[in-house]
Amino acid sequence: LAPQLRISTSAAIRPDSLPALPRGRETQAPWSAEDTMVRGHAKEKAQEANAKKMAAMKKSGSQMDARKEGLKIVCPACKAPMTNYKCLQQHYDSKHPKETCPPEDSFAK
């Protein structure tokens, strides 16, 4: 008979004491060098994309400025800004039904 080797339980690694690996990763360790390389690369790509997006936003200007340019007509009754005369007519119909809407010529373009 072959002699049996005896390993103490404190030195042996039991399978139930190891951390569980994600599905499909049974053959690789969870701390694989490939993961850190990919994550670093993805982080750099994300930073580059974010920098491009921020530069494009800075170049395009503020939304508040664009809004101010679009709101050209002001309701004489309540001072609400409107984009065009058609919106002002609808506004008068719903908010000021007893008053008459001023003519379009009275608003400077």
Side-chain angles (χ1 to χ4, degrees):
L1 294 171
Q4 293 183 348
L5 294 175
R6 204 173 158 132
I7 301 173
S8 72
T9 56
S10 61
I13 299 175
R14 298 187 319 248
D16 60 335
S17 67
L18 296 175
L21 294 173
R23 285 187 180 264
R25 299 283 309 265
E26 288 82 13
T27 58
Q28 294 178 351
W31 54 87
S32 167
E34 294 172 359
D35 287 345
T36 56
M37 295 286 283
V38 170
R39 183 60 205 141
H41 183 64
K43 183 178 177 182
E44 288 174 8
K45 287 283 191 185
Q47 286 175 345
E48 288 174 12
N50 191 28
K52 285 181 185 177
K53 189 169 79 171
M54 296 302 284
M57 284 178 58
K58 189 174 236 181
K59 203 182 324 177
S60 67
S62 136
Q63 288 183 354
M64 295 301 289
D65 293 338
R67 184 176 182 268
K68 285 179 187 176
E69 291 174 12
L71 300 173
K72 297 179 179 175
I73 297 177
V74 177
C75 173
C78 65
K79 306 297 184 207
M82 309 287 158
T83 55
N84 55 26
Y85 186 73
K86 183 74 174 170
C87 288
L88 181 68
Q89 286 177 328
Q90 292 174 354
H91 170 76
Y92 257 85
D93 291 342
S94 64
K95 302 294 181 184
H96 313 294
K98 295 180 182 175
E99 299 179 28
T100 58
C101 185
E104 188 174 4
D105 301 337
S106 66
F107 296 100
K109 291 189 178 182

